[in-house]
Amino acid sequence: LTPNPVRGATANARIETVTGGVITLRIADMNGRILHQQTNNVSAGVNSISITGISKLQPGMYMLQMVSNGETVSTKFSKL
């Protein structure tokens, strides 16, 4: 996720996939509550996805969860 920490309303996730398909991106607070979810189509290779919903987050720590084909990858980020 860039930038990290997130300043303002925009951030981008760089996602590399072996096959194309649908990926679900979720933003969760540190208690696990899902605050935002979006679904994007990706192609095989490197994809850059603009994360929507950042502007409504309060300053703090969050988890970005990327879900595809039953596999979940998570990364922490902070919002200033």
Side-chain angles (χ1 to χ4, degrees), residues 56-73:
K56 60 185 174 183
L57 299 176
Q58 296 297 316
M61 292 295 298
Y62 296 92
M63 294 291 295
L64 174 64
Q65 302 170 340
M66 298 158 278
V67 183
S68 179
N69 297 324
E71 182 180 341
T72 302
V73 177

Side-chain angles (χ1 to χ4, degrees), residues 18-48:
V18 176
T19 61
V22 175
I23 189 166
T24 301
L25 301 175
R26 298 187 296 221
I27 297 174
D29 64 17
M30 297 312 286
N31 293 318
R33 289 182 300 219
I34 304 298
L35 304 174
H36 174 74
Q37 180 170 302
Q38 71 185 65
T39 301
N40 294 84
N41 292 313
V42 294
S43 55
V46 177
N47 297 266
S48 181

